[in-house]
C-alpha cells in the first residue's frame, strides 16, 4: 500500500494525495447517498501528464481507479465500490479563449458548467447543454456520462457538442484530438467512444467544445393539463410552430407538492391538475407572441401561467429544478432515469406507479423529466437503498415499452444488472471487447457499467 501511495505522491505531489477519513468522505458517496465505498486515497492531478502517471502507478499495483468530476452523478458512477483510488479532475479547471470564428472553446475536464456559462455570458456565444447541477457538475463528467439536460430537445446532448478531447486510456496510451476539426474521418471516432463511457475506457483531461449563438430573449410558460397525453398533444403543436422551443419539461402534482414543502416554491394555479408542461423558448426577438399564439391554437391545455419577467421565469424554473433536492429531503431515493419512445410514454406513465406499488407496497413514486426527449425521471421513495425490487419493476416496464434503462445519467453501479434489458448479448460483447482493448488490466471504474 505504501508503495502505491509513494508512487501517487511522486505523480501529483503530497498535498494532492488525500488519505484522511474526513477529507476523503465527500468523494466517497454519490449525490443520492445510495452509493458509497471507501477509497484507498483521493488523488488530484493537475494535467494529463499527471493523470497518466496516476494510471501507471495504479496499473502497476492492479488497483482500480474511479475518475470523478463534481460528484453530482446519480448512479454511483463516480464513487468507489471499495478499495479503488478516486481520481478527482477538479484541478483541471482552465478555460481557454473561445475561438469566435470556429465557435469553439477548449476547457479542462474539471471546469464546472456554470463557470463556462459565466465566462461566455455577453460574448454572443453560449454552451448548449444546461442542467440544474450546473454549479458543481464538471464538463469532463458531463462528457463522460453524455449528459443531456433541459435543452436537449433543441440542441441534443453532450455528444453533439464535443468536437474533440484529450484523454489517457486505461493502458496509458493517449488520445489527443483537440484541434477542433469539424470534419475528421480518419478512422474510428475515439473521442466519440469516450463520450458516455462513464470513465471505463479512459480519463478525459481536456475537451474541445462547440458553442452556439447566445440568444438573449426568452419566454417561459407553465401549462396546466389533464394528463400526460394532453401534454404530448400540446408539445406536438408547439414543436410544429416554434423553432425557438428550447425546453419542454413534464411535472406532476405530487412532485409539485414536494417542491412546495421543501423550498416554498408554489404552483401558480389555484386548482390541482393532472400534469404540467414547462416550456421555454429562446430567440433574438422576443418569442412570447409566438409561444402565446401556438398555445392558443392548441386545445390541450386547461390553463397557462406565462412569466412576465426574469423573476417570474426563475420562479417557474424553481418548480422544476427543485425536484431533485425536494425528493432527497424526503429520504434516499431510488433513481430510475429512463427513456421511452414518445408514442409509449403516456402508457408507461400510467402504469409505472402500480408496478412500483406491486413490488414495494407503500413506496412513493415521483415522476418528472424532459418529455420532449422521451426522458422521464422516476424517483422511488420508501424502500431501503439495498432493495432492488422497485428498480427491477420500473426497468422491466421500460423494456416492455421499448425504452432504455438509462436516458442521461448513465448505468453506473446502479443499473449494471439491467444493462441486458435494453442491450443485446452481441452489443454487450462488443462493449466488453472495446473495454479489453483500451483498458486491458481492467483498472478503470471496475464496478461500473459492464457486467463483472
Ligand atoms: C434533472 O433533470 C436531473 O433534474 C436529475 O437529471 C433528475 O433527480 C433526478 O432524478
Ligand atoms: Zn434530467
Amino acid at each position: 500500500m505504501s508503495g502505491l501511495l509513494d508512487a501517487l505522491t511522486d505523480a501529483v505531489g503530497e498535498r494532492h494525495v488525500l488519505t484522511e477519513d474526513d477529507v476523503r468522505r465527500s468523494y466517497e458517496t454519490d449525490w443520492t447517498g445510495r452509493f458509497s465505498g471507501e477509497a484507498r486515497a483521493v488523488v488530484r492531478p493537475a494535467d494529463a501528464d499527471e493523470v497518466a502517471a496516476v494510471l501507471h502507478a495504479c496499473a502497476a499495483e492492479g488497483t482500480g481507479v474511479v475518475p470523478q468530476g463534481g460528484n453530482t452523478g446519480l448512479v454511483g458512477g463516480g464513487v468507489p465500490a471499495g478499495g479503488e483510488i478516486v481520481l478527482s479532475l477538479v484541478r483541471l479547471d482552465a478555460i481557454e479563449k473561445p475561438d469566435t470564428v470556429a465557435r469553439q472553446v477548449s476547457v479542462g475536464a474539471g471546469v464546472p458548467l456554470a463557470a463556462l456559462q459565466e465566462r461566455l455570458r455577453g460574448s454572443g456565444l453560449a454552451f448548449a447543454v444546461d442542467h440544474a447541477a450546473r454549479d458543481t457538475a464538471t464538463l469532463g463528467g458531463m462528457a463522460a456520462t453524455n449528459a443531456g439536460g433541459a435543452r436537449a430537445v433543441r440542441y441534443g446532448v453532450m455528444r453533439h457538442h464535443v468536437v474533440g478531447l484529450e484523454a489517457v486510456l486505461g493502458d496509458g496510451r493517449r488520445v489527443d484530438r483537440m484541434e477542433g476539426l469539424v470534419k475528421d474521418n480518419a478512422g474510428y471516432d475515439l473521442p466519440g467512444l469516450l463520450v458516455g463511457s462513464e470513465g471505463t475506457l479512459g480519463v478525459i483531461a481536456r475537451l474541445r467544445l462547440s458553442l452556439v449563438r447566445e440568444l438573449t430573449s426568452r419566454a417561459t410558460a407553465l401549462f396546466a393539463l389533464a394528463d400526460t397525453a394532453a401534454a404530448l398533444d400540446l408539445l406536438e403543436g408547439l414543436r410544429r410552430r416554434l423553432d425557438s422551443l428550447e425546453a419542454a419539461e413534464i411535472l406532476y402534482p405530487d412532485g409539485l407538492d414536494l417542491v412546495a414543502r421543501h423550498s416554498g416554491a408554489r404552483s401558480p394555479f389555484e386548482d390541482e391538475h393532472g400534469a404540467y408542461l414547462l416550456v421555454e423558448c429562446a430567440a433574438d426577438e422576443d418569442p412570447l407572441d409566438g409561444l402565446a399564439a401556438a398555445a392558443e391554437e392548441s386545445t390541450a391545455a386547461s390553463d397557462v401561467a406565462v412569466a412576465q419577467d426574469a423573476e417570474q421565469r426563475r420562479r417557474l424554473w424553481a418548480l422544476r429544478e427543485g425536484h431533485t433536492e425536494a425528493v432527497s429531503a424526503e429520504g434516499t431515493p431510488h433513481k430510475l432515469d429512463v427513456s421511452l419512445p414518445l408514442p409509449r410514454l403516456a402508457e408507461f406513465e400510467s402504469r409505472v406507479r402500480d408496478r412500483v406499488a406491486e413490488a414495494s407496497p407503500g413506496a412513493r413514486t415521483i415522476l418528472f423529466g424532459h418529455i420532449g426527449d422521451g426522458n422521464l425521471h422516476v424517483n422511488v421513495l420508501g424502500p431501503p437503498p439495498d432493495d432492488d425490487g422497485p428498480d427491477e419493476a420500473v426497468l422491466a416496464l421500460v423494456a416492455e415499452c421499448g425504452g432504455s434503462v438509462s436516458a442521461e445519467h448513465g448505468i453506473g453501479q446502479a443499473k449494471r444488472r439491467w444493462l441486458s434489458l435494453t442491450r443485446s448479448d452481441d452489443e454487450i460483447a462488443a462493449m466488453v471487447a472495446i473495454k479489453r482493448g483500451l483498458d486491458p488490466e481492467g483498472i478503470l471504474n471496475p464496478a461500473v457499467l459492464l457486467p463483472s
Side-chain angles (χ1 to χ4, degrees), residues 269-349:
F269 307 112
E270 268 177 26
D271 299 331
E272 183 172 297
H273 297 266
Y276 303 87
L277 186 69
L278 178 65
V279 167
E280 183 156 284
C281 294
D284 291 321
E285 306 290 324
D286 189 352
L288 188 58
D289 287 351
L291 175 58
E296 221 161 83
E297 198 183 68
S298 164
T299 52
S302 323
D303 206 346
V304 61
V306 180
Q308 302 298 337
D309 55 32
E311 175 55 21
Q312 288 186 4
R313 270 192 57 230
R314 195 197 58 73
R315 280 203 213 142
L316 289 184
W317 272 105
L319 296 172
R320 164 63 180 87
E321 294 193 334
H323 271 66
T324 300
E325 291 204 359
V327 165
S328 278
E330 295 275 304
T332 303
H334 294 239
K335 284 193 175 284
L336 293 315
D337 152 53
V338 303
S339 230
L340 283 312
L342 279 182
R344 307 278 309 261
L345 189 136
E347 173 200 345
F348 173 86
E349 184 270 325

Side-chain angles (χ1 to χ4, degrees), residues 110-151:
V111 172
L113 170 59
L116 178 62
Q117 291 173 332
E118 190 52 41
R119 170 68 188 268
L120 293 173
R121 190 156 295 128
S123 72
L125 294 172
F127 188 58
V129 181
D130 188 30
H131 58 75
R134 59 184 73 80
D135 289 335
T136 319
T138 60
L139 291 155
M142 287 171 60
T145 53
N146 189 24
R151 295 185 182 162

Side-chain angles (χ1 to χ4, degrees), residues 203-239:
V203 180
I204 299 171
R206 289 168 73 220
L207 291 156
R208 184 79 179 163
L209 300 171
S210 63
L211 302 172
V212 296
R213 248 161 31 78
E214 183 180 32
L215 301 171
T216 46
S217 281
R218 287 177 182 272
T220 310
L222 184 71
F223 293 90
L225 301 133
D227 53 23
T228 306
L232 286 165
D233 202 20
L234 174 61
L235 178 63
E236 199 268 334
L238 297 177
R239 285 190 112 166

Side-chain angles (χ1 to χ4, degrees), residues 13-30:
E14 198 176 352
R15 274 184 57 214
H16 298 294
V17 179
L18 314 177
T19 53
E20 301 292 320
D21 286 359
D22 53 338
V23 183
R24 287 195 333 261
R25 202 155 292 134
S26 67
Y27 299 84
E28 293 179 329
T29 301
D30 86 338

